[in-house]
Amino acid sequence: MPRSPGHGPDFEIRRQQIIDKAAALFARKGYAATGIAEVGDVVGLGRGALYYYMGSKENLLVEIQDRVMGPMLASAHRIADLEDVDPVLRLRMLSQTLLENILARLDHVRVYEHDYRNLRGANLARLLDQRREFEDIVQELLVAAMDDGSFRKLDPRLATLQFLNLHNHTYQWVKVDGAWNARYLSSEYCTAFFRGLGSPGRQFDDIEDRMAEYLAVRESAAPDPLPLSDLDRP
């Protein structure tokens, strides 16, 4: 008897393809305006097969949201935990990482920004918790930069909203193959942002050189070794 596709090696690959195509469709038409039959037409599956892979239309939206927040939160925590790096440079790192994620998944980000309100119950609560978690990381770095004298004292929440607003609407106009990549945009954004928040007399002229050093290390670093348990596998 043939194995269920859920147990086969191609099942997860097919699921990821469905999520990608659904994200593009939702980004174009809007989640609420798109019926499950339209999703099935785009991915080449009947209603029953589509539900087999995804469970529900809302599950598709959850998966798209996770594609945005999962990598972003993981990167934000890694950056926040760099205790030997000052908070201003960590904010510059976080800025570029945020923009890299936006450029990597423009369709997903558009759905994330526009359609998250269609989530319900536990799914909506989980997403809002993730958003707050990310915002808390930004705010903690901003407060640290105020505490060490790099930034002038101002309402941390207002500073956080300024940082987020500077970045979060980029998806509306940025082009993946355009002249402005994530590194360039982050440099320009942060130059303006740091100067606006900087304490009197505080200069950030070295921030791009320091960022370049960090990127050189990141791009040349060897991959992390596999855990011993993985090395023992055939």
Side-chain angles (χ1 to χ4, degrees), residues 120-156:
R120 297 169 295 176
N123 287 332
L124 178 59
R126 175 172 167 267
L127 175 65
L128 294 177
D129 285 344
Q130 290 175 325
R131 286 185 171 223
R132 282 190 289 269
E133 185 179 349
F134 182 76
E135 291 172 7
D136 286 347
I137 292 171
V138 175
Q139 183 165 312
E140 287 167 6
L141 289 175
L142 287 165
V143 170
M146 295 177 200
D147 289 344
D148 74 8
S150 297
F151 292 168
R152 56 188 171 84
K153 296 287 186 178
L154 72 159
D155 186 314

Side-chain angles (χ1 to χ4, degrees), residues 93 183 210-223:
M93 294 174 181
R183 184 170 181 175
R210 295 168 60 212
M211 186 66 183
E213 291 174 4
Y214 163 76
L215 289 173
V217 171
R218 186 181 74 170
E219 291 165 2
S220 62

Side-chain angles (χ1 to χ4, degrees), residues 11-92:
F11 179 75
E12 187 58 28
I13 294 174
R14 185 67 172 122
R15 283 187 78 255
Q16 298 306 315
Q17 292 170 343
I18 293 168
I19 296 165
D20 281 337
K21 291 181 178 180
L25 181 61
F26 294 158
R28 187 172 70 252
K29 292 196 63 178
Y31 173 84
T34 304
I36 195 66
E38 292 177 272
V39 178
D41 289 343
V42 167
V43 302
L45 291 173
R47 183 185 295 265
L50 183 57
Y51 277 119
Y52 178 78
Y53 278 100
M54 300 309 309
S56 69
K57 181 184 170 187
E58 185 169 342
N59 282 349
L60 266 173
L61 185 56
V62 170
E63 293 280 0
I64 292 167
Q65 304 289 332
D66 284 346
R67 287 269 194 91
V68 175
M69 283 308 301
M72 194 63 249
L73 271 177
S75 296
H77 279 294
R78 283 196 297 269
I79 291 168
D81 291 341
L82 296 172
E83 296 181 355
D84 58 336
V85 179
D86 65 83
V88 174
L89 182 55
R90 279 182 281 169
L91 282 165
R92 172 64 177 82

